[in-house]
Amino acid sequence: MTTSKAMSSSVPGKLVKTFENVPNESHVSAWSQLWDQGDSDLWDRGCPSPSLVDLIEQRRDMFDPIAADGRRKTALVPGCGRGYGVVLLALHGFDAYGLEISSAAVAAAQEYTSSEFKNPSATYFSNQNDKKVSVYQQGRGDGRFFKADFFDNEWAGRAAPIQFDLVYDYTFFCALPPTMRKGWGARISDVLYPGGLLVCLEFPLYKDPAIAGPPWGVSGYVYWDVLANGGASITAAASLKFYVSSLNGRMWLERERIC
């Protein structure tokens, strides 16, 4: 899921109203219905995150897409929307997998990705030199999409790998009601390789967490609180490098904790 001005508005709109009084177990069908109705413009900003572009290209030490054994690393983008995060990671060398809960979303992502792979937009690179380094020297990775519920165990190992070297949460977390955050943390620990990298876009920081979403407001070290103190086993399983980037402009905030 990506975000737009409509999604970030403080005035309750169609997106918020769609989920009013909807139980957690019905959220998947509600999101799918929005896709089927052609309402993805409520959250789709139409381009990749400049923050992630900067993070990847400024910290190549973290984002080397080739593992020590020579294999190409894998990345997962849950709630990938039209696939901007998947395209970005693939163009920078990762075999990237996008997960969505709607057949319409998967079809839209596949169509968009096919077009971008043929002629990548400039927004996927900081400058033309980075484009040459990423695409021509490291080689482009693959970009695949599949329909599944992130919280369902059945897709892992079938539609995609069981675990990934990198997981990128681009406003997927804020689309979940706060009561589902503990489950998000537990699921992240399932799908991330020991020693893997989790990158989250912290949004929306301005919104009171008590106000109804989506998006649901986040504050402080909410991701760290969920992962380290919310019952998820990720910090016990492996060292965790945790990076948070901001949607505001091209700035990114790095928080690294190794447990």
Side-chain angles (χ1 to χ4, degrees), residues 19-32:
F19 292 88
E20 283 182 342
N21 303 315
V22 175
N24 291 351
E25 59 269 21
S26 299
H27 276 221
V28 167
S29 58
W31 282 111
S32 183

Side-chain angles (χ1 to χ4, degrees), residues 77 140 145 162 200 204 209 215 228 236 239 258:
V77 184
R140 175 177 63 78
F145 300 90
I162 296 176
C200 300
S239 295
I258 300 179

